[in-house]
Amino acid sequence: LKTGNPFKKLNDEIFVYVAKKQREIDELKRMEQFRREFLADVSHELKTPIFAAQGFIHTLIDGAVDDEFVRDKFLAKAARSLDGLDALVKDLVALSQLETGELRMHFERVDMRQLIEEIFEQLESLARARTTSLRLKAPQGPIWVKADRQRMTQVMINLIQNAVKYGNDNGRVIVALDEDGKKHIQVSVKDDGPGIPPEHLSRIFERFYRVEKSRSKEQGGTGLGLAIVKHILNAHKSKITVLSRLEKGTEFRFKLDKE
Ligand code: ADP
């Protein structure tokens, strides 16, 4: 009769226990590191618009207010900085809720055709300012998917807005909805802009990562748009991919469950 070695069994159990605790410690360390970096990034990003607005307002107080032309220009610039701050805070709240899983998804039957047509209307003036055309390529009739309507609207606004903002003037943005087998719809947002250099492609979904910082800021970007897109799609069990060719354009793609 073999009873086994009781010491070996105990030894194995201790080994498993220590390995588990070590994994927990590593995870805590990773989270702590993430929290520290996040805080550093956030304070840096918040300081920029605050300093800018402060600068304009103090210059006005110091006398620039007397010159009507300078006054109007500086007030407009201060307002723009504060609008940027507002957008940043809103995006930060959304992102932090998404990251902690606090933001509950409300899945329902959504007609993607209608959702996109509404967004096109919303973005009409931005597209007109860039003389860019917005086109939807999709089969006839409603295209039902299972999604959180509000969050999916945010995803599509971020992607279409980026396509217009970073595309060329007189550009063309095409949103395509295609059947992908029996169960999925493929969504694609494509522009004919300058494209994203390959060395940046894998990083554009990171928070605050921008290929051209000045261009992004000038366009009112917070650097959080694609990070938010990735998280929302993740909550839809979907993954976004990007294809880009320099001087040809960029295409973002993902799949949604049909409903
Ligand atoms: P931002 O607020 O800066 O637009 P995003 O997270 O939405 O932040 O995008 C990150 C960066 O990816 C942008 O700053 C831009 O450099 C690049 N980018 C995003 N979409 C496109 C696109 N369609 N064409 C070229 N570059 C893009």
Side-chain angles (χ1 to χ4, degrees), residues 162-163 165-166 191 196 204 209-211 216 221-223 225-226 250:
N162 276 354
K165 280 187 333 190
Y166 301 112
D191 64 63
I196 301 169
I204 54 169
Y209 193 86
R210 296 147 168 136
V211 178
S216 159
T222 63
L226 288 178
T250 304

Side-chain angles (χ1 to χ4, degrees), residues 58-234:
H58 281 297
T59 316
L60 285 167
I61 293 171
D62 291 345
V65 75
D66 299 332
D67 180 327
E68 210 172 298
F69 175 73
V70 175
R71 183 195 64 200
D72 290 352
K73 200 167 91 180
F74 278 26
L75 279 175
K77 282 181 186 264
R80 227 173 107 93
S81 296
L82 292 175
D83 287 346
L85 187 63
D86 181 49
L88 178 59
V89 171
K90 281 188 184 134
D91 274 1
L92 273 172
V93 171
L95 189 65
S96 91
Q97 286 173 334
L98 283 162
E99 279 180 348
T100 54
E102 239 176 83
L103 211 62
R104 286 202 158 263
M105 296 283 147
H106 299 286
F107 291 106
E108 55 181 316
R109 210 162 97 101
V110 175
D111 176 6
M112 280 302 277
R113 167 188 283 283
Q114 191 198 359
L115 185 140
I116 289 161
E117 280 169 355
E118 281 170 15
I119 293 173
F120 278 4
E121 274 173 33
Q122 229 175 301
L123 296 180
E124 202 186 296
S125 65
L126 174 76
R128 199 169 334 113
R130 303 294 310 266
T131 50
T132 291
S133 69
L134 302 176
R135 243 186 79 201
L136 174 63
K137 263 169 65 177
Q140 282 301 310
I143 295 165
W144 297 110
V145 298
K146 187 176 156 197
D148 179 313
R149 183 189 302 277
Q150 204 188 337
R151 298 295 148 207
M152 194 46 62
T153 303
Q154 198 170 359
V155 165
M156 295 309 295
I157 288 182
N158 287 354
L159 293 176
I160 300 169
Q161 218 169 28
N162 276 354
V164 176
K165 280 187 333 190
Y166 301 112
N168 296 322
D169 281 341
N170 303 315
R172 210 159 77 136
V173 173
I174 299 174
V175 178
L177 301 173
D178 290 294
E179 302 253 349
D180 185 51
K182 284 206 169 84
K183 292 195 175 139
H184 299 108
I185 294 289
Q186 176 166 274
V187 184
S188 136
V189 179
K190 196 163 136 188
D191 64 63
D192 54 1
I196 301 169
E199 65 272 24
H200 294 284
L201 268 187
S202 64
R203 303 203 54 194
I204 54 169
F205 295 99
E206 291 173 18
R207 61 185 147 80
F208 301 127
Y209 193 86
R210 296 147 168 136
V211 178
E212 275 182 84
K213 209 170 172 93
S214 55
R215 177 103 191 256
S216 159
K217 292 257 167 85
E218 187 190 306
Q219 301 289 341
T222 63
L224 295 175
L226 288 178
I228 290 174
V229 163
K230 189 177 130 185
H231 275 286
I232 294 176
L233 289 179
N234 196 24

